[in-house]
Structures are given as C-alpha cells and as structure tokens.
Amino acid sequence: MPKKRSKVKGKRSKVICSLLPIKKIFYVLPTIFFLPSAVFAQDPTTTTPSAPAVRAVVNSNADGEVSADGELTLREAIEVVNGTLTPDRLSSAEQAQIAPATAGGSTIEFNLPSGATTIELQSVLPDLAAPGLTVDGGTQPGYDPNTSATAEIEIPIPLVTITPAPGQEVFRGLTEVADDITIRGLNM
C-alpha cells in the first residue's frame, strides 16, 4: 500500500491498516416481555359475585336460545350457576329443576330422558365461570361407574354426550374460566 504524504511539507504520516478482518459481534440479551393478562385470558362470562351456589338438573337435550319452557337445558343451567340467568326468567317447571346447593359450590346434574342423552350444540356454550362448580354426567340415571369400556383398565362409559349439531361448527365444548371446576362422566 502506498504511503500517503502529509500536506505539511517535510513531514510524513504513517497510515496503519489492519489486515485482520472486521469482526461483527452480536449480543443476544435476555428479553422479558410483560404482556397484559388480557392477551392470554378469554373474555369470561360476566358473573354476579354473590351468585348463590345452586344445584341445577338438566332434563332436556335441546340447545338454543334461553326460553321459558318446560325443560332446563345445559345452556340454561350454565347461565344459572354463573349468575347470568335469574330463575325468574324461567318457567315454573324449569325453576323446579333448580335448588340451593346443600354443600360446597354449584353443581350441574343430568336427568335426561332415556335414549335422548346426546346434547347437540347449536353454538358455543357459555363459559363455566362459577368457582367450585361440578358438572357431573355420572348423575344421569343408568350411569354405572363400575361398567368399563375396556377389560384392561377401568374406564366408565359416559351416557351423556355433548357434540355439535349436524351442520354446525362448534369449536369447543365446555370452557373453564374459574378455579376449582370439576367435569366428569361426560362424553365430548
């Protein structure tokens, strides 16, 4: 490499060039992101904080809009235990299927007609938002916890089935958004 001459007469300056390649160093620093909990949480069904614990017995496999008819549907039972549906909006026959809970949290039990134990959902069910709720398919008459689906492992055979109605796209069955919820004895 030729030497450069200084503009000042009589003085020479040295230009030093490194023959080593320029190293690029990248540092990856640990990064912590704080996202609001709303990013991960679903929008739970609004509950009444003082909703009393109740025992609701589902006696209809129908699904659809809440209506004051003679039978309590699963959708209506969920809304009652969540506190979003007051019993006064139901018929007297439906109100007879709702009683104060004797112990612990609310329960949803089943007493569906024989041969009509499949609930075909028209749309997504309300979230299960009552803390301590138990949804118990084992209360359906005829359910036997000692009858097993296999000989090797004791797996009781659920009688109550929750499924989308034909032609409907329901992407989830039961969604829990509260603590201490138990779901048992259901085929989903």
Side-chain angles (χ1 to χ4, degrees), residues 130-160:
L133 171 65
T134 299
V135 181
D136 192 355
T139 56
Q140 172 65 29
Y143 176 82
D144 184 2
N146 299 318
T147 302
S148 182
T150 66
E152 297 82 23
I153 303 171
E154 291 186 22
I155 302 173
I157 302 170
L159 296 178
V160 178

Side-chain angles (χ1 to χ4, degrees), residues 44-49 51-54 77-84 104-108 126-135 175-182:
T45 306
T46 307
T47 62
T48 306
V54 297
I78 292 171
E79 289 190 26
V80 167
V81 299
N82 283 346
T84 58
S106 294
T107 60
I108 296 177
D127 296 336
L128 302 177
L133 171 65
T134 299
V135 181
T175 304
E176 300 176 10
V177 295
D179 293 330
D180 197 26
I181 292 180
T182 302

Side-chain angles (χ1 to χ4, degrees), residues 8 11 53 67 141 151 168 172 177 181 186:
V8 179
K11 292 192 176 183
S67 63
Q168 298 295 321
R172 66 175 193 247
V177 295
I181 292 180
L186 295 174

Side-chain angles (χ1 to χ4, degrees), residues 33-44 177:
F33 293 101
F34 291 99
L35 298 174
S37 61
V39 171
F40 299 104
Q42 294 179 1
D43 183 21
V177 295

